[in-house]
Amino acid sequence: MTLGVSASPAAAPRTLNFTVGRAGQEIAVQPGDRLRFTLNTTAGTGYTWRALEVDPAYLTLIEKRTVSVAPATGPGRTPVVGGPGPATVYTYQVVAPLKRGSLSLTTPVYFAELPPGRAATVQVQLVQFNLVAR
């Protein structure tokens, strides 16, 4: 007698792309998925994006880089203050399922847009994405 166990195949890992405009949403993920967050800044302001701590039990930072955004004034021209500036791109890999036993977990990913300098009190823009089990 042969006993067979049938398991549904896991969905293939994906690369998912997100921008600030998509903040606040829930993102269904599974181990192996890559998450690419592209965070644009305004040229000439000195503001930069920083990732706040993520739970290393579920996410690993694969890459952080800065990419140029073509100036709105045209190729080869100087960027205008207030126009599109560089973008910071964070790429993470999901390394474990967002589950504990039979419970599904939600883990947040936060980014803060920080002004230049080190003032005692500053206003920052904070964006959040919520990762949930797929």
Side-chain angles (χ1 to χ4, degrees):
M1 174 185 278
T2 305
L3 296 176
V5 177
S6 173
S8 60
R14 311 160 294 164
T15 297
L16 305 168
N17 295 295
F18 301 96
T19 61
V20 172
R22 295 182 62 194
Q25 69 176 317
E26 286 190 348
I27 304 167
V29 298
Q30 68 179 19
D33 285 350
R34 287 196 175 203
L35 311 174
R36 185 177 300 122
F37 299 94
T38 301
L39 309 160
N40 293 316
T41 58
T42 303
T45 63
Y47 276 73
T48 58
W49 284 99
R50 300 266 193 249
L52 303 183
E53 287 186 34
V54 298
D55 191 336
Y58 303 105
L59 288 177
T60 297
L61 180 64
I62 301 297
E63 177 182 48
K64 176 189 172 196
R65 63 188 168 102
T66 301
V67 296
S68 296
V69 175
T73 55
R77 303 191 87 186
T78 305
V80 175
V81 173
T88 303
V89 180
Y90 286 88
T91 304
Y92 292 95
Q93 182 149 356
V94 180
V95 294
L98 293 169
K99 292 191 176 268
R100 287 255 166 94
S102 63
L103 296 175
S104 291
L105 305 174
T106 299
T107 189
V109 178
Y110 292 102
F111 299 96
E113 187 178 34
L114 304 173
R118 302 270 183 211
T121 304
V122 296
Q123 290 187 339
V124 299
Q125 178 181 354
L126 186 65
V127 297
Q128 174 181 345
F129 297 86
N130 295 308
L131 306 181
V132 295
R134 177 173 163 205

